Amino acid sequence: GFFPRNYVAKALKHPKHVNEELPVAVALHAFDPSDIDWPFREWNPLPLHIGEEVHVIEENDGDANEWVFGCPVREPHRQGYFPKAFISPPVSFKDHSSARLAGIPDDS
């Protein structure tokens, strides 16, 4: 039957292949897409939890360069987009966490 185009979201036909060589980042901030009006109907969002390790499968170019496509390291079947500014490589995350625990002010 017929239905409005904005009632559906484009789903991935199959999950993208994930391997151990993909870059891994760590979520510095929680991302809950239910808290925002998700602007990209054709993309699936991926909620993040602070400290969660994620594989970076694809970075977008152009207007969407603020978003990254990836998946949790422990759940590679769960794939979607999340804000690029919410993640950092694990080394930076550890340095950031160590500095916070030591009471060193955050310059950012």
Side-chain angles (χ1 to χ4, degrees), residues 36-42 67:
I36 64 171
D37 182 21
W38 185 246
F40 311 108
R41 295 193 191 278
E42 67 276 6
W67 298 92

Side-chain angles (χ1 to χ4, degrees), residues 34-91:
S34 67
D35 287 346
I36 64 171
D37 182 21
W38 185 246
F40 311 108
R41 295 193 191 278
E42 67 276 6
W43 296 357
N44 295 321
L46 179 68
L48 296 176
H49 304 286
I50 294 174
E52 183 172 25
E53 292 183 327
V54 291
H55 282 295
V56 175
I57 298 172
E58 181 180 307
E59 292 188 51
N60 289 312
D61 296 324
D63 293 336
N65 64 1
E66 297 175 1
W67 298 92
V68 175
F69 183 78
C71 66
V73 169
R74 296 183 182 188
E75 298 178 83
H77 63 279
R78 205 170 56 97
Q79 300 180 359
Y81 287 88
F82 47 89
K84 187 175 189 174
F86 281 38
I87 61 171
S88 178
V91 172

Side-chain angles (χ1 to χ4, degrees), residues 23-39:
V24 175
V26 175
L28 294 174
H29 307 281
F31 171 58
D32 182 358
S34 67
D35 287 346
I36 64 171
D37 182 21
W38 185 246

